[in-house]
Amino acid sequence: MKKFYLVFLVLGMFVGFLSSCDDDDKYRPDALELEIVSKSGAFTVAKEDTLFLKAKLNNPQEVKFSWTMNGQQVSSDSVYMFIAANMGNYKIDVKATDGKEETTVSASVEVYGKYKYGTFILNEGQVWKEHYGTLAFISPKGIVTDSVYYKENGGSLGGGTQDLYIRNNKLYIISQNGGNDGGFLTIANAETLKKESSYEDELGSTLSMPSHIAVLDDNDIYIRDNNGVYRFNPSSKVLTFIEGSVRANKTTMAVANGKVFAAQSNKLIVIESNKSSISKEIPVSGDISGVIPSSDGNIWLACSASGEEPAKIIKLDAQSYSMQENSIENETAAKILNGGWNATPYITAKGDTLYMGGGSKPMPVYRHVFSQKKTEFMGDMAEGLDHVQTLYNCIAVHPITGEVYANIISSYSLDPENKICVFDFNNDKLALKANYKGYTECPAGVFFTYNFE
């Protein structure tokens, strides 16, 4: 029995050795390990833009690549330049082969409309010259496209376009004179700018020079005109005046906490969804020269000086209506907050940092850090620029980059020297980063898509 046991033991060890050798033969320290890497770090891209995708291997070796998109071969290089003419989700595969083995990995790429992210510049035009409203677009890469609404639709916006709002992937443009393809109110897809609807007679018979718009929902739209604020339901085409909103200021309305906030001289009025009268009046010491939403879901207010009360910037809680107030002691900055003819807010904010700018020559910019109660002069926008007449409407700060945009004109017309200027703050000093000429004619405002997310 001992002899048989010894034989079986030896046989078992021999079989185990053979099995171990077989496993060693299957193991390859240089086995292919493959992944798809995006140069931008993201797997999203605008329609007709380029996304650079790279097949990344764990070690350098001679391999062949094969890229396929939705099952169709598209490239045999290690880098694939992905471009799509249509929006949607695309499945991208890459296969690597080294003669011994092959491996395949996949990635999903989302293609969105080319106007989803970026900056819009809305132009009033000049109705008496038959120059109607236009919309320019600056991509995140800094590429400017003029008259994008016309290029996407083949028709013009209404005359004297004044304000723009984005909600639920719809873009709303209000025009004070109406007419053309756009009417008094144009609604388009926010990613493609393809027109979905426009309203002329439904609004023109009642409204008097509509100037600003805010949107709570598809059928809950608020329009400010010379009389006050109206609610418009596009489905029923019913226009309802909001009682208590008489003589609302000709300036931008803000949305926060599911409500509309509008200035009315030295009061802030609150309008709640689907109500036909204001819900609350909030008095402040001076006239309101700006109402904008804050990044944390509340409201910023700019107020002029009044009597012994200095000009102020106020943070309003959109739910409790409690207020924090910072006095602006700098004389020039306070003068900017006193307001004027501009139809855009005299403050603009990124986080708790607010900017104020105005004038012609000089054209100062001030920065106020609310949490520090600190106001400082940043520089003169007109310095170093030629053909400067004035700042048309107010400055706007990019909510992501912190760059300040200013529409600086040389003439109240479509002039090649009219400028969209972009400033940054290297070493805390104002510096011109970009100067786009010839795209503006009475520019109504700067609108960042990121502010409507």
Side-chain angles (χ1 to χ4, degrees):
M1 289 296 293
K2 290 182 179 178
K3 290 181 180 179
F4 282 117
Y5 177 76
L6 183 59
V7 170
F8 280 122
L9 180 61
V10 172
L11 286 173
M13 293 173 64
F14 181 69
V15 170
F17 174 75
L18 291 177
S19 175
S20 175
C21 289
D22 184 59
D23 289 342
D24 287 344
D25 288 342
K26 291 180 179 177
Y27 172 70
R28 289 186 57 200
D30 61 345
L32 295 175
E33 294 179 12
L34 181 64
E35 65 175 318
I36 297 175
V37 177
S38 167
K39 181 180 178 182
S40 68
F43 287 86
T44 59
V45 66
K47 186 180 77 166
E48 299 173 0
D49 205 349
T50 303
L51 181 68
F52 290 90
L53 301 175
K54 180 178 177 59
K56 182 180 179 182
L57 285 169
N58 58 318
N59 52 45
Q61 52 191 307
E62 187 173 344
V63 297
K64 293 181 179 180
F65 296 102
S66 177
W67 293 83
T68 57
M69 179 178 69
N70 292 347
Q72 299 292 319
Q73 185 170 355
V74 290
S75 177
S76 59
D77 200 344
S78 62
V79 175
Y80 171 43
M81 294 185 294
F82 171 85
I83 304 174
N86 298 303
M87 296 188 301
N89 291 307
Y90 293 79
K91 183 174 181 290
I92 307 296
D93 299 302
V94 62
K95 179 172 68 176
T97 307
D98 68 354
K100 296 180 181 179
E101 67 169 316
E102 66 180 37
T103 185
T104 302
V105 293
S106 301
S108 178
V109 175
E110 177 194 354
V111 178
Y112 52 83
K114 58 185 176 181
Y115 306 109
K116 184 174 183 177
Y117 301 111
T119 305
F120 288 107
I121 309 294
L122 186 63
N123 290 296
E124 299 175 24
Q126 297 180 81
V127 177
W128 57 93
K129 291 185 178 181
E130 296 186 349
H131 294 181
Y132 299 100
T134 60
L135 190 63
F137 180 74
I138 307 174
S139 76
K141 294 181 179 180
I143 299 170
V144 186
T145 307
D146 193 19
S147 303
V148 287
Y149 178 84
Y150 182 85
K151 288 174 180 176
E152 296 296 340
N153 296 282
S156 297
L157 291 165
T161 45
Q162 297 287 295
D163 196 17
L164 178 156
Y165 201 90
I166 300 173
R167 175 82 174 183
N168 294 341
N169 207 38
K170 296 178 187 292
L171 183 144
Y172 300 80
I173 295 176
I174 201 74
S175 157
Q176 67 179 9
N177 300 110
N180 301 316
D181 185 58
F184 286 97
L185 171 62
T186 309
I187 303 176
N189 183 285
E191 294 189 44
T192 66
L193 293 191
K194 295 296 184 183
K195 188 180 83 168
E196 296 185 359
S197 56
S198 62
Y199 301 90
E200 176 76 14
D201 296 338
E202 300 90 341
L203 302 177
S205 59
T206 302
L207 297 181
S208 172
M209 304 289 282
S211 65
H212 292 87
I213 187 166
V215 182
L216 295 181
D217 212 340
D218 290 359
N219 287 314
D220 205 10
I221 301 171
Y222 295 84
I223 300 171
R224 181 265 168 208
D225 79 341
N226 287 342
N227 299 312
V229 179
Y230 291 79
R231 186 179 74 248
F232 179 57
N233 182 325
S235 294
S236 65
K237 298 181 175 56
V238 173
L239 190 65
T240 305
F241 185 73
I242 304 298
E243 297 297 331
S245 69
V246 174
R247 291 186 296 279
N249 291 14
K250 187 179 180 180
T251 189
T252 305
M253 299 179 287
V255 171
N257 195 34
K259 294 171 284 192
V260 174
F261 294 81
Q264 191 185 58
S265 187
N266 64 342
K267 294 181 293 186
L268 185 70
I269 58 176
V270 183
I271 305 169
E272 295 182 333
S273 178
N274 290 311
K275 291 191 176 180
S276 58
S277 62
I278 65 171
S279 298
K280 191 172 182 63
E281 292 182 352
I282 304 170
V284 294
S285 59
D287 286 339
I288 298 173
S289 59
V291 184
I292 60 174
S294 66
S295 59
D296 61 1
N298 294 300
I299 293 291
W300 292 111
L301 297 175
C303 297
S304 68
S306 178
E308 297 298 319
E309 290 289 324
K312 296 175 182 177
I313 294 176
I314 298 173
K315 181 76 173 290
L316 175 85
D317 188 293
Q319 185 170 358
S320 68
Y321 306 130
S322 61
M323 292 187 286
Q324 303 173 56
E325 300 183 356
N326 280 8
S327 297
I328 304 301
E329 305 296 344
N330 180 281
E331 184 177 348
T332 306
K335 185 178 179 180
I336 294 172
L337 293 187
N338 285 339
W341 61 269
N342 289 333
T344 56
Y346 282 79
I347 50 169
T348 180
K350 180 183 184 296
D352 84 330
T353 302
L354 299 103
Y355 294 87
M356 302 149 275
S360 51
K361 282 191 174 183
M363 199 178 289
V365 172
Y366 286 84
R367 180 169 69 188
H368 179 80
V369 182
F370 194 81
S371 58
Q372 301 175 14
K373 298 186 176 182
K374 179 182 178 182
T375 305
E376 54 188 336
F377 172 68
M378 303 307 295
D380 178 5
M381 293 184 289
E383 186 176 341
L385 293 178
D386 297 324
H387 308 288
V388 170
Q389 183 173 114
T390 190
L391 176 71
Y392 198 101
N393 279 304
C394 300
I395 62 174
V397 63
H398 195 293
I400 306 297
T401 67
E403 296 161 345
V404 165
Y405 286 58
N407 287 317
I408 298 173
I409 65 169
S410 60
S411 173
Y412 290 87
S413 63
L414 186 58
D415 191 299
E417 287 297 334
N418 286 349
K419 308 166 182 65
I420 306 167
C421 294
V422 182
F423 300 92
D424 60 17
F425 299 95
N426 293 329
N427 301 316
D428 285 337
K429 294 295 182 183
L430 190 74
L432 182 65
K433 179 181 179 181
N435 186 0
Y436 307 107
K437 295 183 180 181
Y439 294 97
T440 60
E441 182 177 21
C442 300
V446 179
F447 303 87
F448 305 107
T449 60
Y450 312 96
N451 277 331
F452 298 98
E453 294 180 341

